[in-house]
Amino acid sequence: MSKAVPKVDLKGLYIEDVLEDDSFIGVVPIYAQPEPEEAPDLPEDSEIEDEADVSEEPEQPREIIGYLVGIPLPTGLYHPRFDLVTWDAYQDAVLEAQSDYADELHDWREQWAEGVEQGPEPVYTPPAQPDNLWIEGLTPEEIAELTKPGDQTELEQLRAENTELKLALTELAEAQEADKTEMQLALAEIAGLIGGE
């Protein structure tokens, strides 16, 4: 099974969703693909020497070009941005909590081995994950520019016209119903007059 996972750039701005395994969690860097190296041209008549003589260059660190984020993207954001700084701070807090727990557990076990009376074994409690990891990537001014009334797209114009037509049809149907009721009352009155003679 797979699920859609947000892909973000180095600033955390949402790019697109990509399919990943259902078990994908956390934040994982995306690395640039290394350029393929061209094989050296060897003369056909030369014999291949031992490969041990070939000196290998140290592997260059790969460049991070973005991240996959295993935290669901909320609705209602114009240009979502994953807060990488807050995520890194949270990861630091997790590591610190794990380190503190390991120290407490080590001390507890040492005291237990020495026969010192103590309380219950320490329990690891991870820090709470921040709720606000996805934030708005646009400034209030950019959002105001996007949402200001003005030129409508063709789709927006069609929707507005459709709404106006629906209202006009509703008003026409109500008017016809009122006319029909008036006509029925008038006919009933005429029938009453004819029957009363």
Side-chain angles (χ1 to χ4, degrees), residues 65-117:
I65 58 171
Y67 299 90
L68 291 179
V69 179
I71 296 166
L73 183 65
T75 58
L77 298 173
Y78 289 94
H79 194 181
R81 182 170 68 86
F82 187 75
D83 191 345
L84 293 165
V85 173
T86 301
W87 175 257
D88 288 342
Y90 168 66
Q91 292 303 301
D92 291 344
V94 167
L95 290 174
E96 185 176 334
Q98 290 171 345
S99 176
D100 290 347
Y101 167 71
D103 291 344
E104 289 174 20
L105 186 61
H106 179 265
D107 293 345
W108 185 88
R109 286 182 177 163
E110 277 187 350
Q111 290 176 357
W112 179 79
E114 293 171 2
V116 176
E117 207 172 300

Side-chain angles (χ1 to χ4, degrees), residues 21-42:
D21 188 70
D22 273 344
S23 61
F24 182 84
I25 58 171
V27 177
V28 177
I30 302 169
Y31 294 97
Q33 296 298 321
E35 295 292 325
E37 294 181 21
E38 292 185 29
D41 292 332
L42 296 175

Side-chain angles (χ1 to χ4, degrees), residues 39-66:
D41 292 332
L42 296 175
E44 290 180 22
D45 295 339
S46 70
E47 293 195 19
I48 300 175
E49 298 181 18
D50 284 344
E51 291 184 20
D53 294 343
V54 177
S55 62
E56 291 187 23
E57 295 181 21
E59 191 174 313
Q60 298 293 324
R62 297 191 311 168
E63 176 187 8
I64 296 176
I65 58 171

